[in-house]
Amino acid sequence: MSAGKLTSLTDEQKAAMPAYAQQWIERGWRTGRLTDAEWAEWERGARACYEFAGIPWPGVVVHVPSPMVGAFAAPIAALLIAQAKSSRRGAVRGAVRGAVGDAVDGAVDGAVRGAVRGAVRGAVYDAVRDAVYGAVYDAVDGAVYDAVRDAVYGAVYDAVDGAVRGAVRDAVRGAVYDAVRDAVYGAVYDAVRDAVYGAVYDAVDGAVGDAVDGAVGDAVYGAVGDAVGDAVRDAVGDAVDGAVDGAVKEVLRQTWYRRLGGHMWINWNAYLGFFRDHCDTTVAEEMWDRLSAFDLTTSAGWWWPHRDFVMVADRPDVLSLEQVGATGWGSHRLHADHGPAIGWATDGLFFWHGTRIPADPDEIRTWEPDRILQERNTETRRALIEIIGWPRFIEAAGLTQVGADVPDPGNPGQTLRLYDIPRRIYDAEVKVLVCVNATVERDGSRHTFGITVPAEIEDPIAAAAWTFGVSPDTYRHLEAAC
Amino acid sequence: MTSITKTLSEAIDRFDVDVLDHLDRSVSIPMISHIGRQGDVLILAKPRGRKATTPIRAGGYPAVRGENNGNTHLLLADGAAWFDAEEPSPTKLTLGVLTVEKGSTGYLAHPEHGYLAIAPGTYELRRQREQADVLRMVAD
């Protein structure tokens, strides 16, 4: 027990936690690209973080439009710089052209190339330019091919080591986040920390960290995984190209995640910040300066601190979440009826009630039900079914009706129907209740929709009653629906 | 039923809350005193329940706020009515308690569903849920 440790929270401090968390949530949810003034503030924070870490500021800050672009561009830029520094200049043209082109599609591809060039140009432009635009095939062609292949392979892998060493995320994170956390842990009792963690960290994590960063992280991890997968590697026929391609993949695999989270990891800033902003602790003022510098970097997205450059992703243009639980872990998830649930200038991700889907919901609505049945992942398939709508799907899939049509209480002339859903089609034990709206649409038709209910329900009225949590007898007496 | 029912156009004039223009303005608004439904919201009489105490102000109270404010279920009072809001969840679907004073009429208005009139009494407003991977609330 050390003197001066914070042992308890006052009622005022406890009462301040929800609003404090909310303020950080709002910050984590901000959309729209950073202005020049905001970038300047961001850079002031990042630069201070480097200073705290004792790492010289590289002076090259590359803004990328999205985390996906940065996850590819930062490792590849690092590889090219390391390659140039080892003065083994050959064999890297394919780095930008091949792996990037194959790994990511159209818009992202262009942005990655631009970002790589920006980083390379700023860091070691002259040295690396020839390497980027020089020709692997000029150096390694025809007759000398076999002789030099191994040498090229070796040079490329030296560069991989250099590129990995150049990523200084751990050092920067250690100097800011870890240092502040340790100081707080030394000055605050466990029980107090747990209370703040529960009320502040979890609230922000549920709304921003887990909900947004978790989903984006999975998507980027998937894209990187696709790019470095064996199938892709095996498909590269040329041995030299294969070596270069392999190096890019190795660097991608090892360094894409050596990032700091910006607005998507804001839960940490909120948690530690509460002790700075609302508690009287023995934590040294200098530690709070570190945290405040780190806070400045939460205006933008993921960032990749390297020795030779800093790459940072802009904020999303679009962010759409739904609340599915009380404040705390699991409170929010990504969802959008139209367009990306999170989108940047070059790319976006589509989510349906938290499930990643392969295309814009508006495009999926034009798909034939057969195409949806071919989707192998059951969770994804369920999302796709919901998007095209149960009525269309029931007909196409030939689902079996349970019992007869029954009149819909309070909705004269309309019926309720219940259908069984085989487990091979859907991954939850449910039936689907098909209802017809009481109100007509503009064109005179009525919207027909399906609601999934627990599988043990055998009667359409009981199913409708369950959706509102009332008894079937109560529901039967519905006077009017509109 | 002793309360006088309004037509849709009368209600729109009274509250200055419009609905989609294809809905027939001349029809009488349905009135409920026991149980009614508007899209994904159920209104259920609770004659012996606790009365609500928070007055519904002139501009109405959004019992359910739709995305971008587009599909809000708005509670309105012609006379005196009260609504105590609660935070609904998939396991506790209650949106709140509504009390409509004797001689008054409550209304629930929605751009796509029009108006539903609510006779004097105390009611529970409930949301709709579905069984997905987890229980979740329906948004229409």
Side-chain angles (χ1 to χ4, degrees), chain B residues 27-139:
Chain B
V27 298
S28 290
I29 294 169
M31 162 104 52
I32 62 126
S33 59
H34 175 59
I35 178 170
R37 177 169 69 81
Q38 182 176 73
D40 56 356
V41 173
L42 191 80
I43 304 150
L44 178 63
K46 292 276 173 181
R48 285 180 295 278
R50 172 185 58 80
K51 287 185 176 173
T53 56
T54 313
I56 295 173
R57 298 183 193 287
Y61 181 88
V64 176
R65 203 185 287 277
E67 279 180 52
N68 309 316
N69 293 329
N71 289 317
T72 296
H73 294 268
L74 188 68
L75 269 174
L76 298 157
D78 194 0
W82 298 266
F83 183 68
D84 293 345
E86 296 172 33
E87 187 64 42
S89 76
T91 50
K92 187 192 79 64
L93 298 167
T94 318
L95 279 164
V97 175
L98 168 73
T99 298
V100 180
E101 180 71 303
K102 283 191 181 115
S104 302
T105 307
Y107 288 90
L108 196 58
H110 185 279
E112 291 171 3
H113 297 291
Y115 278 68
L116 184 64
I118 306 161
T122 290
Y123 303 83
E124 190 175 81
L125 266 64
R126 300 179 68 84
R127 282 212 78 169
Q128 193 168 27
R129 66 181 166 182
E130 65 186 328
Q131 178 75 51
D133 49 338
V134 292
L135 284 177
R136 72 179 181 220
M137 285 187 288
V138 173

Side-chain angles (χ1 to χ4, degrees), chain A residues 386 442 452 467-468 479, chain B residues 21 34-35 126 129 136:
Chain A
E386 289 179 10
R442 190 177 294 279
T452 44
T467 67
F468 287 108
E479 296 160 89
Chain B
D21 58 15
H34 175 59
I35 178 170
R126 300 179 68 84
R129 66 181 166 182
R136 72 179 181 220

